[in-house]
Amino acid sequence: MADAANCLFCAIASGALGTEFIAESDRAVAFRDIQPQAPSHVLVVPRQHVAALRDLEPDDDVMAAELLRLAAEVARREGLLAGGYRVVINDGDDAGQTVHHLHLHVLGGRKLNEPLG
Ligand code: 5GP
Ligand code: ZN
């Protein structure tokens, strides 16, 4: 499991890979998923390395709230508010987490079926 020194999303969030941010805040950045599952599929990640939702600590509460607020801001910028959208966090193997840096998926632009997989 990647630590901060060897983590794809740490590299993206730092700007080192030149990824375009479609929104950002003090503690979080948002960028398009490389393999979109919907017309709009954006990832919202903390700038700070946190491996998974389960690893959030009380000191992270401001950052965690910022992730949610930025997800809604992304939905607004993507024009998803009228039709609706979904925010997903995968934590662990059964959920299909493949990148071990906390991220929120913002999905929209089509009818999303089977809300609980
Ligand atoms: P997970 O399955 O861990 O919840 O989601 C990881 C997401 O990261 C996947 O949807 C995958 O397509 C996306 N992803 C993996 N590598 C990259 C990358 O290098 N750049 C971007 N923008 N997204 C990536
Ligand atoms: Zn990381």
Side-chain angles (χ1 to χ4, degrees), residues 58-77:
D59 279 355
D60 299 321
D61 283 358
V62 172
M63 174 264 277
E66 221 173 277
L67 293 173
L68 288 174
R69 193 191 57 72
L70 198 61
E73 175 62 22
V74 165
R76 181 178 297 105
R77 291 190 190 188

Side-chain angles (χ1 to χ4, degrees), residues 20-23 29-34 36-45 70-71 74-75 78 80 86-88 103-108:
E20 181 190 357
F21 298 149
I22 67 165
V29 300
F31 53 89
R32 294 193 189 284
D33 195 291
I34 202 168
Q37 306 297 314
S40 285
H41 186 174
V42 174
L43 301 174
V44 177
V45 318
L70 198 61
V74 165
E78 292 286 289
L80 301 178
R86 183 173 295 155
V87 178
V88 172
H103 51 281
L104 284 63
H105 297 258
V106 180
L107 297 151

Side-chain angles (χ1 to χ4, degrees), residues 3 11 16 18 31 46 53-54 56 61 63 73 80 99-100 105 109-110 116-117:
D3 60 10
F31 53 89
L53 184 65
R54 69 186 70 179
L56 285 174
D61 283 358
M63 174 264 277
E73 175 62 22
L80 301 178
V99 176
H100 297 283
H105 297 258
R110 67 168 169 81
L116 298 179

Side-chain angles (χ1 to χ4, degrees), residues 2-11 46-51 99-102:
D3 60 10
N6 183 23
C7 170
L8 174 63
F9 285 0
C10 279
R47 294 182 191 272
Q48 163 198 337
H49 183 80
V50 175
V99 176
H100 297 283
H101 177 128
L102 175 61

